[in-house]
Amino acid sequence: MRPTIVPKSVDDGYIPTTEKEHFTMAMLNPINCPLGTVPIRRTHKSDLIRAKSFTEKFAAKIHPQTQFTPGRHQAIVRSIFDPKVIYKGIEAIFSIYKPEVKANQSSFAQIWIEGGPPNARNSLQAGWMVAPDLYGDNNTRSFIYWSVEGNPKRGCFNLLCEGFVQVDKSFTLAYGGLLAPSEYDSKTQHAIMNQIYQDPRTGHWWLRVPSLNVTVGYWPKELFPNLAGGATQVVWGGQVFGQPNGASPGMGNGHLPDGNFRRASYAVQMKVVDPNLRLVEPGGPYYQMESFADNSNCYNVQYFGYKDHYYGFSFLFGGPGGQNCGI
């Protein structure tokens, strides 16, 4: 299956050249599966055990409209809820880093969309993460995730259970592939570009990498009854998880934003997909955004709105975490 249509930008489709050149991901090594087939990662029993435990803990905590959950912190830019505003997708370029993360901790940089009432939220997410409890190591890896709240609560990371359907025969973004991290204050900033959008004809939700013109795969519409007409919430940014009474991990590159795009994690060229399947910038008056950080001593976000043609709508985020970030 292929998308029946892809979003079109209302501007010149500009993508920063630097980000395109340094989209360096280890899983981009050619796999070259035959036409009509897709790569399948060898999954061990230990992978499934870790995934089940990690997903249960993760799903119980994540919600972009929740401002406080013990052990969880956010530094994000999110849409201000308006039931009349519908989002058909989201896009951004994120710098890649490798924050310090220990056992029982995880750190994310991601896009996500949500829709539905508070007790039945449907969610789609994509980005990068460091999660030793899921992957068994401290490397930076790509991830995708879907969830449906309710009874029972369902969700899945990557391709470790039902949900996402891979269609690309060589690209392994959906498998938790290794990502090459950036160096602090370096001219070379490795980055990843993700796009999630809804096909208006089939209703399926597609994952694409526009900078590489790659369509990775889709989440079937049947999974998400409360996203049938689109999403009501879009979010960009970082979040971390730790023990409620323990130390919190680093977010982004472990540094608080100071206005310099080389010295903190960034999200640039933020876009949303409107009901006419146009990629547009998330600015007013129709689209209203706000920044949010629950503990500015440990993590913060510096939102610029529209900065310039190179960065577009953008922000910096991250922080060192530590022992005194609050329960």
Side-chain angles (χ1 to χ4, degrees):
M1 183 182 292
R2 307 296 297 175
T4 63
I5 189 173
V6 297
K8 299 296 183 182
S9 179
V10 298
D11 57 20
D12 59 4
Y14 177 77
I15 298 172
T17 302
T18 301
E19 273 61 41
K20 292 177 67 176
E21 292 175 348
H22 294 101
F23 191 82
T24 52
M25 299 162 56
M27 71 275 198
L28 289 181
N29 294 329
I31 294 179
N32 294 326
C33 291
L35 187 65
T37 70
V38 297
I40 300 176
R41 184 179 185 269
R42 178 174 287 125
T43 302
H44 300 276
K45 184 178 180 179
S46 58
D47 297 323
L48 300 176
I49 293 173
R50 288 195 306 269
K52 183 176 186 298
S53 174
F54 185 83
T55 302
E56 288 174 351
K57 292 187 293 185
F58 181 83
K61 293 180 178 180
I62 185 169
H63 197 303
Q65 289 184 338
T66 300
Q67 295 194 357
F68 183 77
T69 301
R72 170 181 178 245
H73 300 283
Q74 291 183 328
I76 59 175
V77 173
R78 63 189 177 190
S79 58
I80 298 174
F81 179 72
D82 182 339
K84 301 186 296 297
V85 178
I86 298 299
Y87 301 89
K88 291 293 186 174
I90 185 174
E91 176 182 292
I93 298 170
F94 277 84
S95 55
I96 302 169
Y97 281 100
K98 186 180 178 181
E100 183 176 349
V101 176
K102 300 178 181 178
N104 297 314
Q105 297 178 342
S106 54
S107 184
F108 300 76
Q110 64 186 102
I111 58 174
W112 72 91
I113 63 173
E114 287 202 348
N119 295 325
R121 303 287 287 180
N122 295 179
S123 174
L124 292 168
Q125 305 167 36
W128 62 257
M129 65 192 293
V130 179
D133 291 351
L134 177 62
Y135 295 114
D137 60 38
N138 287 78
N139 293 315
T140 306
R141 295 178 177 272
S142 63
F143 84 94
I144 59 173
Y145 178 74
W146 68 270
S147 68
V148 173
E149 295 184 1
N151 189 17
K153 182 189 292 285
R154 295 183 297 146
C156 185
F157 276 97
N158 304 333
L159 299 180
L160 293 171
C161 57
E162 65 174 352
F164 189 79
V165 179
Q166 175 98 10
V167 302
D168 186 82
K169 68 185 183 73
S170 60
F171 200 72
T172 56
L173 177 70
Y175 290 93
L178 288 168
L179 297 171
S182 305
E183 296 292 335
Y184 176 75
D185 205 17
S186 171
K187 291 182 179 180
T188 301
Q189 294 289 310
H190 296 180
I192 183 171
M193 186 179 197
N194 282 321
Q195 178 191 92
I196 298 173
Y197 81 98
Q198 186 179 33
D199 189 312
R201 297 176 186 173
T202 66
H204 299 320
W205 289 87
W206 287 90
L207 173 67
R208 297 185 68 245
V209 183
S211 56
L212 299 177
N213 195 29
V214 170
T215 298
V216 183
Y218 68 95
W219 292 273
K221 65 178 180 180
E222 291 79 10
L223 291 173
F224 311 109
N226 291 327
L227 288 176
T232 54
Q233 174 98 67
V234 291
V235 187
W236 301 259
Q239 63 176 338
V240 297
F241 295 90
Q243 294 299 304
N245 297 305
S248 298
M251 179 192 294
N253 67 355
H255 293 269
L256 293 167
D258 65 354
N260 190 314
F261 279 75
R262 295 182 186 177
R263 298 203 294 259
S265 291
Y266 64 68
V268 300
Q269 293 293 325
M270 300 162 59
K271 299 284 181 66
V272 296
V273 181
D274 72 9
N276 295 315
L277 215 68
R278 299 178 304 173
L279 271 168
V280 298
E281 294 176 321
Y286 187 66
Y287 297 112
Q288 296 288 330
M289 303 293 150
E290 65 179 0
S291 61
F292 168 75
D294 63 271
N295 188 324
S296 59
N297 292 321
C298 296
Y299 313 101
N300 211 346
V301 57
Q302 188 174 11
Y303 181 46
F304 301 102
Y306 182 81
K307 186 170 179 60
D308 56 33
H309 187 60
Y310 181 87
Y311 292 108
F313 277 73
S314 55
F315 64 94
L316 301 172
F317 68 97
Q323 190 66 45
N324 300 313
C325 295
I327 61 174

